Amino acid sequence: NRWPEGMLKDSTGIANLGIEGQTSAQVLYRFRNYLDMATPSLVILEVGINDLKIIGLDADLAGSVTRQYYLNIEQMIQICRGRDIRMILISIFSVGKIELPRMLIWNSAAGEAIREANLRLGSYCDSEMIYCFDANAVLTDNETTVKREYQDDFLHINTRGYEALSIRLQELIDKVNNQNQ
């Protein structure tokens, strides 16, 4: 998990359960286990690039990979709805400017899968229980490539990117919390 601790203010505390490199299947497994021990009032979920990045290497995997990703997200949403836990779904971050060695093996199918997945994530949101946070509205100018000042490497953003996201995400957290008081 690259989201620096303390960037989001919250008087009730935030349990950051992110683990860098995990797929949505791994997150779903840990999510179920965590909710056996705790019942938060709000879950913030940002997952997907570790599922979809394989499509950049093999476009033929797009259908099966995205289907499984959607199923995992839908299960987490169902769990939250069933336990009356509000959720903020964060869109999958666009990729950065591609490095030369990766250009030789990367294909555009991954970018298309990210765009389609973000549209699907948006369709899950109802602004009552499930809220959307469009990270790419902050991170990109064109919805496809992370701004250079926010890019750490091709797949990751830097601290400045997380700072910019945190400001906007905190606004949504405050809105969700105020709406439900």
Side-chain angles (χ1 to χ4, degrees):
N1 170 36
R2 292 181 175 228
W3 208 299
E5 296 290 327
M7 279 198 182
L8 297 173
K9 64 174 180 60
D10 188 68
S11 59
T12 60
I14 293 176
N16 187 339
L17 304 177
I19 297 178
E20 188 169 340
Q22 288 208 328
T23 65
S24 62
Q26 293 168 306
V27 171
L28 172 60
Y29 177 78
R30 286 186 317 100
F31 186 70
R32 285 182 179 139
N33 289 331
Y34 176 75
L35 290 181
D36 284 343
M37 300 178 297
T39 305
S41 61
L42 177 65
V43 166
I44 301 170
L45 182 65
E46 187 260 314
V47 63
I49 193 63
N50 292 315
D51 295 79
L52 303 185
K53 69 183 180 186
I54 191 69
I55 297 168
L57 302 175
D58 186 349
D60 293 336
L61 295 174
S64 61
V65 168
T66 55
R67 268 191 306 280
Q68 189 58 55
Y69 170 71
Y70 298 144
L71 288 172
N72 295 336
I73 296 298
E74 289 164 4
Q75 287 181 55
M76 287 184 265
I77 290 170
Q78 288 173 354
I79 291 168
C80 283
R81 285 187 185 281
R83 296 180 185 212
D84 202 33
I85 300 169
R86 291 166 290 130
M87 174 185 273
I88 295 175
L89 283 175
I90 300 177
S91 63
I92 301 169
F93 301 170
S94 292
V95 295
K97 187 172 181 342
I98 193 166
E99 300 106 355
L100 182 60
R102 196 179 297 252
M103 275 186 202
L104 303 173
I105 57 172
W106 191 260
N107 67 68
S108 62
E112 184 57 32
I114 291 168
R115 282 186 293 283
E116 288 176 13
N118 284 336
L119 288 173
R120 181 90 169 246
L121 290 175
S123 75
Y124 297 141
C125 299
D126 59 16
S127 296
E128 291 178 18
M129 286 297 292
I130 312 300
Y131 300 81
C132 288
F133 179 74
D134 182 4
N136 292 312
V138 176
L139 297 174
T140 74
D141 288 326
N142 58 13
E143 292 291 317
T144 59
T145 307
V146 170
K147 296 176 189 174
R148 266 254 197 254
E149 69 259 27
Y150 295 149
Q151 183 179 343
D152 186 30
D153 61 31
F154 181 61
L155 293 175
H156 301 99
I157 63 171
N158 60 25
T159 302
R160 288 179 62 198
Y162 283 109
E163 288 169 350
L165 286 175
S166 294
I167 292 166
R168 295 278 298 280
L169 181 56
Q170 186 63 57
E171 292 170 2
L172 179 56
I173 292 169
D174 292 343
K175 177 182 172 186
V176 169
N177 286 337
N178 290 335
Q179 177 180 335
N180 293 290
Q181 286 183 358

